[in-house]
Amino acid sequence: MSLKVLVVDDQGIVRAGFAAVIDAEEDMTVVGEAADGVAAVRLAAELAPDVIVMDVRMPELDGIAATRIITGRENAPRVLVLTTFDLDAYVFDALRAGASGFLLKDVHASELLHGIRVVATGESVLAPSATRRLIGHYASRAATGTPAGSGPRELDTLTGSQRNVLSLLASGLNNTEIAGELGITVGTVKSHVNALLRKLGLRDRVQATILAYDLGLARPNPPGTHL
């Protein structure tokens, strides 16, 4: 079945360009376009897309606020944020709002298409610069001794294995690498990931990574680490 994609951008020519690239793929269909966050929120409910390609800076309602509303709904679509501006605030705000990915608009078409496919599966994708900024932010905070949060009570419901998996996925390891570290099967890793996301009320690995760093369950890796 084709992935249903909603394209949101206030610039018509950019929106049309993204839509043309996406629609040309056999496994994707653009089901709608929106020029602002208000329309994006409405069309997300009406069209039930699988993935939303979301701009950040828009009139009426920006992409961050729209993402927060959309991902707060039941059976929400995945949101891949695209922006021209590689700024810390946008990266953190987009991910905390519930976005499953963050890419810059100057990415190659193949990277955009790959990003859509990745987030559609429930995984996450971040531009390399965003990954470096995310890691750098937590490395800086750790160096200054900024205390981590106490965390949700649901954290106490995690088993020891699930906590270990949470720490490893936050450090940038994929399921195969986590399996190798813990001496378990990839299938078992997937089960642990699904269970911890459900228990903590998280949508995907990006949100799990942010929570793990916030709680001090993971330490920053050197630049170049992939989430």
Side-chain angles (χ1 to χ4, degrees):
M1 295 179 62
S2 291
L3 289 174
K4 297 185 294 182
V5 182
L6 172 62
V7 179
V8 184
D9 196 293
D10 64 333
Q11 297 184 22
I13 190 168
V14 174
R15 195 169 63 247
F18 286 152
V21 168
I22 295 167
D23 243 349
E25 297 297 296
E26 294 183 356
D27 62 336
M28 299 183 192
T29 301
V30 175
V31 294
E33 299 179 27
D36 58 60
V38 173
V41 171
R42 174 176 55 81
L43 291 177
E46 293 177 359
L47 303 175
D50 299 303
V51 177
I52 299 177
V53 175
M54 181 79 75
D55 186 24
V56 171
R57 302 183 67 173
M58 297 183 293
E60 301 296 331
L61 187 69
D62 66 39
I64 304 298
T67 295
R68 187 174 294 110
I69 294 172
I70 292 169
T71 59
R73 295 169 172 170
E74 188 174 356
N75 299 319
R78 302 287 172 174
V79 177
L80 176 60
V81 170
L82 295 184
T83 180
T84 307
F85 304 92
D86 184 16
L87 302 178
D88 289 352
Y90 290 151
V91 176
F92 290 106
D93 288 349
L95 299 181
R96 291 187 185 282
S100 295
F102 183 99
L103 294 175
L104 298 180
K105 286 185 179 179
D106 61 0
V107 297
H108 190 275
S110 62
E111 294 179 76
L112 169 61
L113 297 171
H114 173 70
I116 293 172
R117 293 185 178 102
V118 168
V119 299
T121 66
E123 296 294 331
S124 55
V125 60
L126 290 178
S129 60
T131 302
R132 289 193 296 271
R133 287 171 182 272
L134 188 64
I135 292 170
H137 167 80
Y138 285 105
S140 175
R141 193 179 69 174
T144 58
T146 304
S150 60
R153 287 187 301 172
E154 290 84 353
L155 192 63
D156 295 333
T157 68
L158 297 186
T159 65
S161 295
Q162 289 164 358
R163 279 176 176 258
N164 289 338
V165 169
L166 175 58
S167 296
L168 291 173
L169 76 82
S171 70
L173 302 187
N174 60 35
N175 289 347
T176 300
E177 292 167 335
I178 293 174
E181 285 284 330
L182 299 179
I184 57 180
T185 67
V186 173
T188 300
V189 173
K190 291 180 179 179
S191 296
H192 285 324
V193 171
N194 290 334
L196 70 88
L197 291 179
R198 183 180 67 254
K199 289 180 178 180
L200 298 176
L202 303 174
R203 287 180 54 80
D204 52 39
R205 297 169 77 104
V206 166
Q207 290 191 327
T209 296
I210 291 175
L211 178 64
Y213 278 118
D214 279 342
L215 301 181
L217 298 178
R219 292 182 177 277
N221 284 332
T225 299
H226 296 285
L227 294 179

